[in-house]
Amino acid sequence: MRTRGKRWYQYFWIFSIVYFSLGFVNILFAWLGMICFLTPLAFALVAGNKDYCNHYCDRGQLFQLLGSRLHLSARNELPTWLRSRRFRYGFLAFFLTMFANVMVVSYHAAAGAPLRETVTLFWLFDVPWSWAYSGDGAPWAAQFAFGFYSLMLTSVIIGILMMLRYRPRAWCVICPMGTMTQAICRAKVPKEMGTAAIGERSICPND
């Protein structure tokens, strides 16, 4: 039976649209993406659950909108290798390495290195983005914004491609933040209780 109406958090996809639109105009707005970076970790650390990933993630709501409500998803099952723990944790390690690189480049900008006014897509292709920075703010803050926006834009493009080919929220299976919060939740579950006592699906939906 279908529930009537939409829950308030189902409109969070608007944040994704606003975020990428603002970053296109002024790259410093890319810092807002830290909300999406820190909030799921806070949920996992404080509450010991993945409620943010399951309900409040703006990107997940965007993929749900495009894939389910607009029927753009092919709804194919993901290959086994994409769902494997080895791939998910490997992708998390790669993502954290790229994030660390953003931090290093930002440090170099603070030390006087030339500002790279580009957005790097798929960690390989530099796209000029100079119109989005007018010189306001510290160079290191702008450099971090360019790098972080690159990570966010790349991941949403991958998520859309996965949504088109597989299920609407296929990205959620390999999402680095989802994998990280999953590991935190597993660590917080008392061994004597086991995940079944709390709800395996709500804590570890990636499995």
Side-chain angles (χ1 to χ4, degrees):
M1 183 176 68
R2 293 184 179 181
T3 57
R4 296 181 180 179
K6 296 180 180 179
R7 297 185 182 275
W8 55 273
Y9 53 75
Q10 290 180 294
Y11 294 95
F12 278 6
W13 60 267
I14 296 174
F15 180 82
S16 281
I17 303 300
V18 172
Y19 173 76
F20 289 109
S21 299
L22 290 176
F24 185 84
V25 176
N26 188 331
I27 196 63
L28 292 178
F29 280 111
W31 277 87
L32 291 174
M34 291 301 294
I35 297 174
C36 305
F37 195 85
L38 298 176
T39 305
L41 295 179
F43 267 79
L45 288 169
V46 176
N49 61 46
K50 289 177 66 75
D51 279 356
Y52 178 86
C53 295
N54 292 339
H55 303 297
Y56 309 121
C57 176
D58 58 285
R59 187 166 305 184
Q61 293 297 339
L62 176 64
F63 297 151
Q64 192 71 33
L65 171 70
L66 296 175
S68 294
R69 292 172 226 165
L70 299 185
H71 307 291
L72 299 180
S73 174
R75 294 185 173 277
N76 295 315
E77 292 292 338
L78 270 73
T80 303
W81 63 271
L82 270 177
R83 300 196 306 267
S84 69
R85 180 173 296 185
R86 177 176 297 181
F87 178 85
R88 289 187 286 112
Y89 280 89
F91 187 58
L92 170 62
F94 173 78
F95 179 86
L96 292 178
T97 300
M98 293 300 101
F99 183 76
N101 181 66
V102 171
M103 300 285 286
V104 170
V105 174
S106 301
Y107 172 80
H108 289 164
L115 183 65
R116 296 169 54 187
E117 299 180 61
T118 62
V119 166
T120 305
L121 295 180
F122 301 103
W123 305 284
L124 292 173
F125 308 105
D126 288 334
V127 180
W129 216 266
S130 57
W131 67 80
Y133 180 60
S134 60
D136 298 331
W140 71 265
Q143 192 65 77
F144 179 87
F146 278 112
F148 194 68
Y149 192 81
S150 299
L151 291 178
M152 296 289 280
L153 186 57
T154 293
S155 61
V156 81
I157 292 175
I158 294 175
I160 290 174
L161 293 176
M162 293 183 69
M163 177 273 298
L164 294 173
R165 179 67 178 86
Y166 302 111
R167 292 186 175 275
R169 295 186 63 165
W171 164 259
C172 299
V173 176
I174 67 168
C175 174
M177 296 309 303
T179 302
M180 195 183 310
T181 55
Q182 179 183 19
I184 294 172
C185 291
R186 283 187 182 278
K188 288 180 69 69
V189 173
K191 292 183 179 180
E192 63 273 13
M193 293 179 61
T195 55
I198 300 179
E200 176 76 10
R201 183 173 179 82
S202 64
I203 294 178
C204 306
N206 285 350
D207 285 347

